[in-house]
């Protein structure tokens, strides 16, 4: 059930307790031990992260007055849930991008050239009530990314890989997702930092990513929109540098950004969200103690869960059709994932009718049989970047 297939939009047609509905993949039957074991591990880790996020939200939800202000700010976004994508994801203007050489130590790319790219993010919050506070986060205004390319020759097809919430260390992401292998197989790589992560975190924030939720759910909406806006700048920059094709993938929050970008950016060669967030409000209700905080603070004074869901639906990929055809869309999900549950990943696959999907018997962090989906992912990328097999360049030397 999605906005494109149901009589009512998905935020109304999905049951309010959808996050509790059971869902099983084929792997639950064929490989139950791995699925159940990894799911149990995920539930423990999810509770820890849910506690961190609940503490971050307490500033905006800790008093009746703060909760009333937050609900009023969230109401601003409800009419935008089914607005045109271009009215929600405002096209960023052209901005100058700075380049400086940096060390690729620990990334595993060998003799590749590693550059630090940055620009002043042109993003401005949609909600006027948040603009002044949002602008005070000065470090967040400087968007930054690592660009890994071969030393000689023209730019190659480039993969933008987007990290998950908190998981912004490029050395970890590079090795965890075998990005050096994809580099050797013919792809340059861009590793951007999402808003409030890494060098974009404010100095007084207790951890990288805190600002994404620390300012309240209304700011979270704006952080999502800024993430997409900045990714559009990166896409344009790579194309202007001569990359013949640009595609995107990412994990968790990065998978969400990947799916969101596909609803507004038709120039992508492919989009491969991995274990993506799909319905942010529903996912929050599933996480404890975050879900308890939402029920006891946000959902008070007659404010219902469908209203909360609608106030955050403006950035869900379920709210709009993708601008890529189904052949350029692939979804990857873990059967034992309890961070971004298979029920939500399956919703995205259904919404993207005709898209590819691959399930692995692991959880959000432990991707069992990862080599299988990496080979499928590379084959999928090649099919969209090099429709004629004869055009594919030989792999770069190790």
């Amino acid at each position: 059930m999605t906005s494109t297939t149901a009589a009512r939009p998905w935020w109304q047609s999905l049951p309010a307790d959808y996050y509790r509905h059971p869902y099983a993949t084929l792997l639950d039957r064929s490989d139950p031990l791995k699925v159940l074991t990894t799911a149990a591990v995920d539930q423990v880790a999810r509770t820890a992260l849910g506690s961190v996020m609940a503490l971050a939200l307490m500033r905006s939800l800790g008093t009746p007055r703060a909760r009333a202000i937050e609900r009023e700010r969230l109401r601003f976004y409800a009419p935008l849930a089914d607005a045109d994508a271009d009215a929600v994801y405002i096209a960023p203007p052209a901005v100058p991008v700075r380049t400086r050489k940096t060390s690729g130590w620990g990334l595993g790319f060998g003799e590749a050239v590693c550059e630090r790219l940055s620009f002043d993010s042109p993003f401005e919050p949609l909600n006027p009530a948040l603009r002044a506070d949002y602008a005070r986060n000065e470090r967040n205004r400087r968007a930054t990314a690592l660009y890994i390319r071969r030393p000689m020759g023209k730019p190659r097809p480039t993969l933008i890989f987007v990290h998950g919430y908190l998981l912004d260390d490029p050395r970890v992401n590079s090795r965890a997702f075998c990005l050096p292998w994809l580099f050797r197989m013919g792809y340059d790589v861009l590793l951007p930092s999402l808003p409030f992560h890494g060098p974009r975190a404010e100095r007084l924030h207790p951890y990288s990513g805190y600002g994404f939720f620390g300012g309240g759910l209304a700011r979270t909406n704006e952080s999502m929109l800024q993430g997409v806006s900045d990714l559009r700048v990166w896409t344009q920059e790579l194309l202007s540098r001569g990359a013949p094709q640009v595609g995107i993938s990412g994990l968790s929050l990065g998978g969400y950004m990947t799916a969101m970008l596909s609803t507004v950016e038709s120039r992508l060669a492919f989009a491969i969200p991995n274990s993506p967030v799909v319905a942010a409000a529903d996912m929050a209700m599933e996480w404890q103690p975050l879900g308890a905080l939402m029920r006891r603070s946000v959902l008070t004074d007659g404010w219902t869960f469908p209203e909360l869901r609608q106030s955050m639906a403006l950035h869900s990929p379920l709210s709009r059709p993708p601008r890529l055809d189904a052949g350029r869309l692939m979804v990857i999900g873990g059967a034992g994932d309890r961070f971004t549950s298979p029920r939500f990943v399956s919703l995205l696959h259904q919404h993207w009718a005709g898209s590819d999907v691959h399930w692995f018997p692991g959880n959000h962090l432990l991707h069992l049989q990862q080599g299988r989906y990496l080979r499928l992912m590379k084959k999928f990328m090649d099919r969209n970047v090099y429709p004629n097999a004869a055009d594919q360049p030989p792999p770069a030397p190790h």
Side-chain angles (χ1 to χ4, degrees):
M1 289 180 290
T2 69
S3 60
T4 59
T5 61
R8 294 184 299 163
W10 72 270
W11 57 86
Q12 294 177 353
S13 57
L14 281 185
D17 64 345
Y18 183 74
Y19 63 93
R20 292 176 174 164
H21 285 208
Y23 181 86
T25 70
L26 292 176
L27 293 180
D28 289 72
R29 296 179 181 177
S30 63
D31 216 338
L33 182 59
K34 289 180 180 178
V35 172
L36 291 173
T37 301
T38 56
V41 173
D42 243 20
Q43 287 175 327
V44 174
R46 184 183 71 187
T47 300
L49 184 55
S51 301
V52 169
M53 294 173 67
L55 287 171
L57 284 168
M58 281 303 296
R59 190 183 75 173
S60 61
L61 301 176
T63 67
R65 182 175 181 274
R67 291 193 290 270
I69 292 173
E70 183 70 1
R71 285 194 297 272
E72 187 59 34
R73 288 178 171 181
L74 284 172
R75 286 189 178 96
F76 170 87
Y77 302 99
L80 298 173
D82 55 0
D84 183 82
D86 292 326
V88 173
Y89 302 110
I90 306 300
V95 293
V97 176
R98 306 170 187 84
T99 304
R100 66 177 176 84
K101 195 82 172 287
T102 190
S103 170
W105 180 86
L107 294 173
F109 287 92
E111 299 302 317
V113 172
C114 184
E115 296 171 326
R116 172 72 66 179
L117 309 184
S118 63
F119 62 86
D120 294 328
S121 177
F123 174 78
E124 183 177 68
L126 288 182
N127 192 335
L130 273 71
R131 288 174 185 166
D133 179 67
Y134 205 90
R136 280 193 283 270
N137 296 282
E138 295 184 1
R139 289 166 65 91
N140 181 55
R141 297 210 303 264
R142 175 65 60 85
T144 182
L146 288 180
Y147 180 40
I148 299 99
R149 60 178 178 83
R150 61 180 177 177
M152 304 288 289
K154 297 179 180 178
R156 301 180 298 174
T158 304
L159 170 67
I160 301 174
F161 187 87
V162 191
H163 63 79
Y165 181 59
L166 304 181
L167 302 175
D168 57 279
D169 190 325
R171 292 166 296 184
V172 172
N173 286 292
S174 174
R175 295 187 178 276
F177 293 94
C178 299
L179 300 182
W181 173 71
L182 288 171
F183 179 83
R184 293 195 298 270
M185 294 297 106
Y187 291 87
D188 293 340
V189 176
L190 185 85
L191 293 165
S193 294
L194 288 176
F196 299 104
H197 283 80
R200 304 182 68 172
E202 297 301 313
R203 288 188 175 87
L204 296 180
H205 285 179
Y207 54 84
S208 173
Y210 171 82
F212 211 94
F213 294 97
L217 295 175
R219 183 200 275 184
T220 299
N221 280 348
E222 300 292 354
S223 300
M224 298 287 191
L225 300 182
Q226 183 180 24
V228 174
S229 176
D230 292 347
L231 286 171
R232 296 181 78 179
V233 174
W234 291 128
T235 301
Q236 174 58 40
E237 177 64 16
L238 292 169
L239 292 171
S240 68
R241 286 175 178 242
Q245 301 277 4
V246 175
I248 186 168
S249 184
L251 173 73
S252 191
L253 176 59
Y256 195 42
M257 293 289 172
T258 296
M260 282 191 283
L261 190 64
S262 75
T263 68
V264 72
E265 186 54 78
S266 61
R267 295 176 296 176
L268 295 172
F270 55 83
I272 310 175
N274 190 330
S275 307
V277 177
V278 174
D282 293 76
M283 187 191 75
M285 296 299 289
E286 189 175 21
W287 291 30
Q288 298 306 327
L290 179 60
L293 173 67
M294 302 285 277
R295 282 188 289 273
R296 295 172 184 173
S297 57
V298 180
L299 303 178
T300 57
D301 301 327
W303 220 56
T304 66
F305 181 69
E307 288 177 310
L308 173 62
R309 183 190 273 161
Q310 184 178 359
S311 74
M312 302 190 75
L314 77 162
H315 45 69
S316 171
L318 300 177
S319 299
R320 297 171 190 85
R323 293 193 176 174
L324 307 182
D325 60 63
R328 291 189 280 166
L329 299 169
M330 178 181 185
V331 186
I332 298 172
D337 196 327
R338 296 301 180 263
F339 280 74
T340 54
S341 168
R343 70 173 66 88
F344 297 116
V345 176
S346 180
L347 272 181
L348 180 61
H349 173 53
Q350 293 170 29
H351 180 59
W352 287 353
S355 61
D356 285 17
V357 65
H358 175 76
W359 297 100
F360 60 88
N363 60 24
H364 201 67
L365 301 176
L366 184 60
H367 291 201
L368 303 180
Q369 299 179 6
Q370 186 187 46
R372 180 178 300 176
Y373 82 60
L374 286 172
R375 289 190 293 271
L376 288 172
M377 179 175 163
K378 198 265 183 180
K379 184 177 180 181
F380 179 85
M381 292 163 59
D382 289 347
R383 188 174 76 215
N384 284 284
V385 170
Y386 305 108
N388 299 315
D391 296 335
Q392 186 172 347
H398 287 245

